[in-house]
Amino acid sequence: MRSISSLLPLSLILLSSLLILNTLAINSLHEAQHLQSSRRSRGRTKSPKSPLLPPPPSPSLTSPPPPPSPAGRNPQINLLTFADARLATVYPVIQKFKSTITSDPLNITASWVGSDICTYRGFFCDSPPDNASATAVASIDFNGFGLSAPSLDGFLDRLPDIALFHANSNFFAGTISSAVAALPYLYELDISNNLFTGPFPTAVLGMTGLTFLDIRFNSFSGAVPPQIFVQNLEALFLNDNQFMTNLPPNLANTRILYLTLANNKFTGSIPGSIFKAFVSLTEVLLLNNQLTGCLPYEVGMLNGAVVFDVGSNRLTGPIPWSLVCLEKVEQLNLGGNQFYGILPDLLCSGLGGLGNLVNLTLSGNYFTGVGRLCMDLIMNGVLDLTGNCIPGFPFQRPVQECAEFFAKPRMLCPRPWSYTYVPCTPFSGLIHGLAPTP
Ligand SMILES: *[C@@H]1O[C@H](CO)[C@@H](O)[C@H](O)[C@H]1NC(C)=O
Ligand SMILES: *[C@@H]1O[C@H](CO)[C@@H](O)[C@H](O)[C@H]1NC(C)=O
Ligand SMILES: *[C@@H]1O[C@H](CO)[C@@H](O)[C@H](O)[C@H]1NC(C)=O
């Protein structure tokens, strides 16, 4: 019986002979399979540097197949030489993950062989923060690779030096393991446009280094923990999931610069304090939720907003005149709600006069009248008032539908005075005497 030590050189000889076979013609399926395994082996093995070794006999002709005992395979793995111990540590993690990938349309994982992990497609190395002379997998960019895998568990959470993980537009599924909480350097996590399910990945709560969290376009559901809004994030993208929760009261204290909540099932009303949260935001996207109640006049104080979109919710009440204060707004969408009342000239001439407005969508509500000065905006294609209840206008709701809406008892908005209140100076002069002071 051969000892392990006598098997070792044999496997080395087999390997080098297979390497040489690479240059020969493949004559049979059997040989092709040998060649395949040699390619894999070569990738994991330090290439023999010495051209002086005599070519050993071709294994397909004279050598027996490699011994079946596990000892005959282990040396090949042991022969891998890594540039750094940290790369050796993540090698089995990556290979295990690779074995779970069920679809790879761009043939990405074909490059995930051998010890040179830093050349794998999608993997990037750098020195980790705790050791400037070490080399580690510091970032992953799988964006758009279209990979399918049932889970990232055991992969993402076992890359201890990862700082950036970008994997948008793949088909990764499952939930996000709570073990990611232990990744000390992770500061950007983008798993958008995948197939993740389950509750909000609470592991990210309290990850003090995390600045960018993008989980949009998945199927996460349930509540969003309010703590996430006061964490030190710069960007939080939650849109296009199944989150069903009230807008949290502490949203007012968020420091997040980029926040999207659209296309979920956020319920409840928009608190007046929200303007504090959004005051630095340029895009306020609350569209396609299930928000109810009236629009507080404080939305007019979002004076950095270029896009303000609360379309397709269940908001109601008159339109606050304070919207005229959105002096940077280009896109203002209140469509697909249950707003009613009259669109005042002030808004049309005010917003229109600023010259930024390109799209004011009020379609699909129950407005019954419109100021004369609004006609210019309609003619210019800026203002869309279709699907309302404005007599004599084209493309309005059937009279019957409007009658039914107005026959039903309607909730009265709180602070009635606030609907004509204009909190910004250039316009408050215009309506002097109209708006009561709060
Ligand atoms: C995938 O890549 C490997 C290595 O680059 C190559 O040998 C193989 O033919 C490729 N397969 C497909 C389906 O493109
Ligand atoms: C830093 O990394 C280098 C390269 O891996 C290693 O040789 C060295 O021991 C490490 N230093 C510390 C303090 O861990
Ligand atoms: C205006 O905005 C609405 C709502 O976002 C959108 O559906 C519509 O296509 C836009 N119109 C134009 C002309 O861009």
Side-chain angles (χ1 to χ4, degrees):
M1 203 170 163
R2 285 185 221 181
S3 69
I4 290 175
S5 59
S6 73
L7 285 172
L8 194 74
L10 173 65
S11 82
L12 266 177
I13 290 166
L14 279 173
L15 278 171
S16 37
S17 66
L18 286 163
L19 282 171
I20 287 159
L21 247 194
N22 271 345
T23 59
L24 303 175
I26 301 168
N27 294 320
S28 67
L29 181 61
H30 179 69
E31 279 183 37
Q33 280 162 349
H34 264 284
L35 185 52
Q36 282 271 311
S37 69
S38 81
R39 278 188 173 139
R40 268 196 305 266
S41 304
R42 181 176 58 167
R44 287 179 191 170
T45 316
K46 201 174 179 181
S47 314
K49 288 273 156 55
S50 171
L52 299 175
L53 283 171
S58 166
S60 62
L61 300 173
T62 57
S63 299
S69 83
R73 293 195 300 271
N74 284 342
Q76 297 180 17
I77 292 168
N78 292 341
L79 285 170
L80 283 175
T81 311
F82 293 91
D84 194 289
R86 299 194 192 218
L87 298 175
T89 306
V90 298
Y91 174 83
V93 172
I94 296 167
Q95 296 306 322
K96 191 172 169 219
F97 176 60
K98 180 179 169 180
S99 74
T100 68
I101 290 176
T102 53
S103 172
D104 177 9
L106 303 178
N107 203 15
I108 300 293
T109 58
S111 70
W112 297 2
V113 290
S115 62
D116 197 357
I117 293 170
C118 306
T119 63
Y120 289 10
R121 283 187 69 189
F123 289 79
F124 299 89
C125 295
D126 203 346
S127 53
D130 64 333
N131 184 345
S133 50
T135 303
V137 171
S139 101
I140 280 184
D141 183 355
F142 292 168
N143 285 356
F145 282 180
L147 299 172
S148 301
S151 172
L152 293 181
D153 286 3
F155 176 59
L156 171 58
D157 51 289
R158 293 188 60 203
L159 299 171
D161 299 299
I162 198 83
L164 292 92
F165 187 86
H166 288 195
N168 85 50
S169 304
N170 286 279
F171 300 94
F172 297 137
T175 57
I176 295 295
S177 162
S178 61
V180 301
L183 297 173
Y185 309 127
L186 188 66
Y187 70 90
E188 287 192 8
L189 178 59
D190 176 359
I191 51 168
S192 58
N193 200 19
N194 280 283
L195 304 173
F196 290 105
T197 53
F200 182 90
T202 47
V204 302
L205 295 177
M207 288 181 77
T208 49
L210 196 68
T211 61
F212 182 98
L213 179 62
D214 187 350
I215 63 172
R216 68 191 137 156
F217 294 99
N218 281 288
S219 296
F220 289 110
S221 56
V224 178
Q227 305 96 289
I228 194 68
F229 294 105
V230 289
Q231 196 164 323
N232 221 356
L233 293 172
E234 284 168 17
L236 175 61
F237 298 111
L238 300 179
N239 53 293
D240 297 84
N241 279 286
Q242 309 284 325
F243 290 123
M244 188 182 290
T245 187
N246 275 5
L247 291 179
N250 64 348
L251 198 50
N253 301 319
T254 190
R255 279 167 291 176
I256 297 169
L257 294 176
Y258 302 93
L259 174 66
T260 62
L261 305 174
N263 304 323
N264 280 288
K265 294 174 181 164
F266 285 104
T267 51
S269 59
I270 301 178
S273 63
I274 206 170
F275 82 93
K276 285 192 204 151
F278 290 145
V279 78
S280 54
L281 290 183
T282 57
E283 299 199 0
V284 180
L285 302 176
L286 295 169
L287 66 151
N288 263 324
N289 279 291
Q290 295 172 8
L291 298 171
T292 53
C294 304
L295 209 52
Y297 84 87
E298 287 91 341
V299 299
M301 295 159 91
L302 304 169
N303 50 20
V306 174
V307 179
F308 182 80
D309 193 333
V310 291
S312 301
N313 278 285
R314 297 170 191 171
L315 297 166
T316 188
I319 185 169
W321 292 16
S322 65
L323 289 179
V324 75
C325 302
L326 300 176
E327 53 184 45
K328 297 203 179 119
V329 82
E330 295 170 13
Q331 308 263 350
L332 181 53
N333 180 19
L334 309 185
N337 281 284
Q338 293 161 25
F339 291 112
Y340 54 84
I342 287 170
L343 180 63
D345 269 336
L346 169 77
L347 268 180
C348 292
S349 61
L351 286 176
L354 289 168
N356 296 325
L357 191 67
V358 294
N359 186 337
L360 173 56
T361 297
L362 301 178
S363 56
N365 282 288
Y366 294 88
F367 289 107
T368 47
V370 55
R372 267 189 318 113
L373 296 175
C374 295
M375 298 310 288
D376 283 350
L377 290 185
I378 295 175
M379 301 301 264
N380 295 344
V382 171
L383 171 58
D384 181 358
L385 270 168
T386 56
N388 279 282
C389 300
I390 306 173
F393 263 51
F395 307 110
Q396 298 298 295
R397 292 180 190 273
V399 174
Q400 177 70 12
E401 206 176 301
C402 294
E404 278 167 17
F405 176 79
F406 289 107
K408 273 186 278 183
R410 264 168 296 129
M411 178 192 124
L412 287 180
C413 293
R415 305 181 298 172
W417 57 264
S418 72
Y419 282 83
T420 51
Y421 175 59
V422 177
C424 53
T425 42
F427 296 105
S428 52
L430 278 181
I431 48 152
H432 184 74
L434 286 180
T437 41

